[in-house]
Amino acid sequence: MHKSAAFTAFEEAFPYTIPLFAGFWFVGISYGVYMHSMGFSFIYPTLMAAIIYGGSLEFVTVSMLLSSFAPLETALIAFIIQARHLFYGLSLLEKYRGTGRKKPFLLFWLSDEAFALNYSARIPKDVDRSWFYLWISLLLYIYWVSGAFLGGLLSNLITFNTKGLSFVIVTLFIVIFLNHMRNERSKLSSYMGLFVSAICLVIFGADSFTIPTMIALVALLTIFRKQIEKRYEK
């Protein structure tokens, strides 16, 4: 029986996502439980995971929802936290060329892990690359949203004290950073992040260094983008 291009691409893409399944579910479920501990029903983490689809941003959004209304500050923080996607998009311009109607979904489902897999995967010549990219992105999206849904839903059954569960925010950032540093060919951007973070921490303090750090990093990565891209091409 002849396999469709979509099914063939799914068979090729699915194994790539298996190692990430447990990680997405663990963090997604933790996020759902965390939101429930803050007083939100399971609907909130599910919708936020489906609409925002930005792990670190979603965790930060919890505190935003509980604070005073500040739309401009919220928009700025959201942009700064997700600004790395600007560079992801530039790097994937050529790979996503010719994907047709799939491109809007590929752009919306773009994540750190989807970028890493779609950018580095070696796709066989007989596999439709647009379907491969789509399956990678869709499967990771499903893992994350389902994890957040389960965490929010099952948290009603949890009887232990969930105070302090926000430690997963720190863990999430550490895991993302270590994974990125391990996989990137050039360590320049990682070292740059460590150096700038340390400097801003000393200057602005632990409570106010995040935004200056992200602004400085976006500026530096923009300035040194060509040098970083050349190191990746080596």
Side-chain angles (χ1 to χ4, degrees):
M1 182 177 178
H2 180 68
K3 297 179 182 178
S4 66
F7 185 74
T8 301
F10 174 81
E11 289 184 318
E12 188 68 29
F14 179 64
Y16 278 87
T17 68
I18 292 177
L20 294 171
F21 172 72
F24 267 60
W25 257 35
F26 175 77
V27 180
I29 290 174
S30 299
Y31 170 63
V33 174
Y34 173 56
M35 282 213 72
H36 181 267
S37 70
M38 294 292 104
F40 296 94
S41 73
F42 75 95
I43 295 296
Y44 283 86
T46 304
L47 290 178
M48 288 173 65
I51 297 173
I52 298 176
Y53 189 47
S56 52
L57 177 59
E58 288 174 44
F59 278 99
V60 174
T61 303
V62 178
S63 61
M64 295 180 185
L65 290 174
L66 296 173
S67 60
S68 58
F69 182 64
L72 294 179
E73 180 181 345
T74 300
L76 177 61
I77 293 175
F79 173 77
I80 291 174
I81 291 176
Q82 299 298 98
R84 63 188 185 280
H85 286 253
L86 294 172
F87 301 97
Y88 292 168
L90 291 173
S91 302
L92 290 171
L93 278 176
E94 186 61 35
K95 289 184 177 292
Y96 283 0
R97 190 185 304 276
T99 52
R101 295 179 180 178
K102 302 181 186 71
K103 182 176 287 186
F105 299 98
L106 292 172
L107 297 178
F108 178 70
W109 291 331
L110 182 61
S111 63
D112 300 299
E113 294 77 11
F115 167 77
L117 292 179
N118 284 336
Y119 190 83
S120 61
R122 296 182 179 180
I123 307 172
K125 293 182 179 180
D126 60 334
V127 174
D128 186 311
R129 65 181 182 87
S130 65
W131 275 111
F132 178 91
Y133 295 148
L134 186 69
W135 281 122
I136 290 286
S137 304
L138 175 58
L139 287 169
L140 295 180
Y141 178 74
I142 292 173
Y143 299 159
W144 176 253
V145 176
S146 62
F149 167 75
L150 287 175
L153 187 64
L154 298 179
S155 58
N156 291 313
L157 305 176
I158 298 175
T159 57
F160 63 83
N161 187 0
T162 56
K163 185 178 181 180
L165 189 62
S166 56
F167 78 94
V168 296
I169 302 176
V170 179
T171 305
L172 176 67
F173 279 106
I174 292 174
V175 170
I176 291 175
F177 171 76
L178 292 177
N179 183 66
H180 172 74
M181 191 171 186
R182 182 186 64 181
N183 292 326
E184 66 175 350
R185 297 177 185 175
S186 169
K187 309 298 182 184
L188 178 60
S189 59
S190 294
Y191 291 136
M192 190 182 297
L194 288 173
F195 178 76
V196 172
S197 298
I199 294 297
C200 290
L201 178 62
V202 173
I203 295 175
F204 298 99
D207 296 329
S208 307
F209 83 103
T210 303
I211 293 180
T213 298
M214 296 304 297
I215 293 175
L217 282 176
V218 170
L220 288 174
L221 289 173
T222 302
I223 295 172
F224 294 102
R225 180 173 65 85
K226 291 184 178 180
Q227 290 89 327
I228 294 173
E229 288 180 347
K230 286 180 180 180
R231 295 198 177 193
Y232 270 97
E233 292 172 357
K234 290 181 179 179

